[in-house]
Amino acid sequence: MRATRHEQIMLGYSDGAVGPEGTDPFTSRLGGQPQWLDDSSPIPEPATGTCDQCQTQMALLAQAYAPLDGSPYERVLYVWACTRRACTGKPGAAKAVRAHLLNADYALKLAKQSKAAARPKPASAFGSGLFGSGSTTGAGKLDFGSVWRTGSDAAPSSEQTSSLFTGPLFGSAKAEDTEPSDIRDGDKDGSKDAAIDELAAELGKVAVSDNAPRIEWPPNPDSVAAQYLAFDAEELADNTRIQQRYQAEIDQALELAADASCRAGKGKGKQASSGEPDWSEERYEHAMLPKGTDAAFARFARTVEQNPEQVMRYQFAGTPLPYTLQDETARVLGFSSASDDDDDDDDDGQMAPPDGCSGAGLPRCPHCGGPRVFECQLMPALLTVLELPVSVEPRASPAARLVGSELMRAFDLGLEFGTMLVYVCAADCHGGKTGTEYLGRSTASMRAYAAPAYYEEPVLVQLEAFTD
């Protein structure tokens, strides 16, 4: 299965404090303690939430409910980071986990659709097809709007989800009694389905271990009060307004650049009648920004300025908004070096998105061997929303004379970043399995996949002081 790419970029915002009753794992949030998919199954080891650099517990920055179109799984992303500035940007100082919990009802619906699609189609009758009244909407498609909660069709509560795996699914009822009647009635080849179910159940025994112990995480002293995370579609102002807003700064920068060039003797313009150099015939090619300016950072600032309170950007299999193209993260992600010149401005003043973000430098998914794709990124405004701990104890000797940036680095002022990029398995695999065929077509075969599953994914950090 290939997860559907969402062309629309969704922006996440803080939406108020989470009360003590807010323990639903399918409610998106910032901060707080991780809410696992159930209360009894194995969860990631505590080392997952521990910084590999300083061996202290990391703070949960975000937990986002993010199911995908056509997937039988409820899906949650967790993102942690170490709050010590000395660790920021180093390997293992930020981690993410992708979590699955089977939605049995929806999985059966997908199985039924798959089976119906595999049947030979009868010849078209007059009144159907092009001029008929048949629906063209694919049943079972998740409405992307429901991903971002609100309303009765939003994320299921933990009580609703847990009820999917109680009663007949784990009871003593016979298999034929646990299948919905519409699936049983349409099953004309029971022996074939039984073979598929048997194979799926056998494969599932390898994928899921219900006997693994659940090791609870110790209380985290660096955790902060949780806040709801709400999403809305990104809306950008038209390009003309953007250009007008920044035109004064652009003109000033060009004037300073021309003046500096003149003083350095680099401009050999004609002499005007007044004796001053005549620059009337000189042109600046694509000089939207002065030379030496990081065009990617300017693009980042212009985009964020229009929605400054955004704490997350979400677009599964989309293109991230890089903080810079001049660091190691940009190289690993495969951003083209040609993307960071002055030629990436289009004709109407809006900076075009960077090209060539292939993610080719990332390790492939260890479960299915497939590539990874961008899913979301955390934004600097998160640091103003969450009251993360700050230490002001100097790391250097008090006798040392420090000034400027050296003085700032002598104190641990807490987490600081330009952006954090989360990449995940492009196929959203379940322990290496993709698609839905391995689940079989009955609740009996899906039983082996009922337990939650957690998979660690990479987080790449671009630092605010990337030029240091």
Side-chain angles (χ1 to χ4, degrees), residues 7 64 66 86 113 132 179 201 236 296 299 304 341 347 377-378 380 437:
E7 295 297 338
Q113 293 170 357
E179 285 194 341
L236 298 177
R299 181 189 307 110
V304 174
D341 57 25
D347 294 336
Q377 65 187 107
L378 301 183
E437 288 298 321

Side-chain angles (χ1 to χ4, degrees), residues 63-393:
Q63 176 174 339
Y65 173 63
L68 299 174
D69 290 347
S71 170
Y73 293 100
E74 304 294 354
R75 188 171 176 276
V76 175
L77 287 179
Y78 304 83
V79 184
W80 294 267
C82 182
T83 59
R84 289 160 177 76
R85 185 167 300 185
C87 300
T88 304
K90 295 181 180 179
K95 299 177 184 179
V97 164
R98 170 176 59 94
H100 279 176
L101 181 63
L102 185 67
N103 183 328
D105 286 348
Y106 189 56
L108 288 170
K109 189 174 184 179
L110 291 176
K112 181 180 177 182
Q113 293 170 357
S114 175
K115 183 177 179 180
R119 294 195 186 111
K121 295 183 179 179
S124 298
F126 182 79
S128 64
L130 182 60
F131 299 102
S133 59
S135 172
T136 58
T137 303
K141 281 288 186 181
L142 288 176
D143 177 9
F144 186 60
S146 68
V147 172
W148 312 115
R149 62 185 183 78
T150 70
S152 59
D153 293 331
S157 67
S158 56
E159 292 81 11
Q160 290 173 325
T161 306
S162 61
S163 67
L164 298 176
F165 306 109
T166 58
L169 185 57
F170 291 110
S172 58
K174 296 181 180 179
E176 59 268 21
D177 294 331
T178 61
E179 285 194 341
S181 59
D182 55 351
I183 293 182
R184 293 200 308 270
D185 295 341
D187 190 357
K188 303 301 183 182
D189 190 358
S191 60
K192 181 178 179 181
D193 283 353
I196 294 175
D197 292 344
E198 183 178 356
L199 176 60
E202 199 62 31
L203 290 172
K205 294 177 182 177
V206 180
V208 179
S209 175
D210 295 327
N211 298 323
R214 179 184 176 105
I215 303 176
E216 298 292 346
W217 290 23
N220 187 352
D222 287 347
S223 65
V224 296
Q227 301 182 39
Y228 288 111
L229 174 62
F231 288 84
D232 197 4
E234 181 179 42
E235 293 185 3
L236 298 177
D238 64 85
N239 297 334
T240 302
R241 289 173 56 193
I242 296 174
Q243 185 176 14
Q244 290 174 349
R245 177 162 188 163
Y246 288 93
Q247 193 60 53
E249 288 86 346
I250 293 171
D251 291 342
Q252 182 182 25
L254 294 178
E255 183 179 347
L256 291 173
D259 183 59
S261 178
C262 180
R263 289 198 307 269
K266 295 180 180 179
K268 303 298 182 181
K270 297 179 181 179
Q271 294 293 321
S273 57
S274 62
E276 296 295 324
D278 181 7
W279 299 96
S280 61
E281 298 181 6
E282 295 295 322
R283 295 180 66 248
Y284 291 91
E285 298 180 359
H286 303 283
M288 291 292 293
L289 296 168
K291 278 293 183 183
T293 300
D294 185 349
F297 174 73
R299 181 189 307 110
F300 182 94
R302 288 189 184 186
T303 303
V304 174
E305 190 271 343
Q306 297 187 63
N307 297 282
E309 296 181 352
Q310 59 182 285
V311 297
M312 179 184 286
R313 297 174 65 85
Y314 184 96
Q315 187 185 31
F316 184 86
T319 301
L321 180 66
Y323 192 81
T324 178
L325 299 187
Q326 299 178 2
D327 65 355
E328 180 65 14
T329 294
R331 187 195 67 78
V332 169
L333 294 179
F335 278 112
S336 170
S337 59
S339 300
D340 197 22
D341 57 25
D342 293 335
D343 292 338
D344 63 356
D345 302 329
D346 60 24
D347 294 336
D348 55 8
Q350 174 65 60
M351 306 191 79
D355 299 322
C357 177
S358 64
L362 289 173
R364 299 179 77 84
C365 174
H367 306 287
C368 69
R372 283 184 162 112
V373 295
F374 169 78
E375 179 156 7
C376 68
Q377 65 187 107
L378 301 183
M379 306 299 286
L382 180 68
L383 299 175
T384 64
V385 171
L386 296 181
E387 297 181 359
L388 297 171
V390 173
S391 171
V392 294
E393 296 181 5

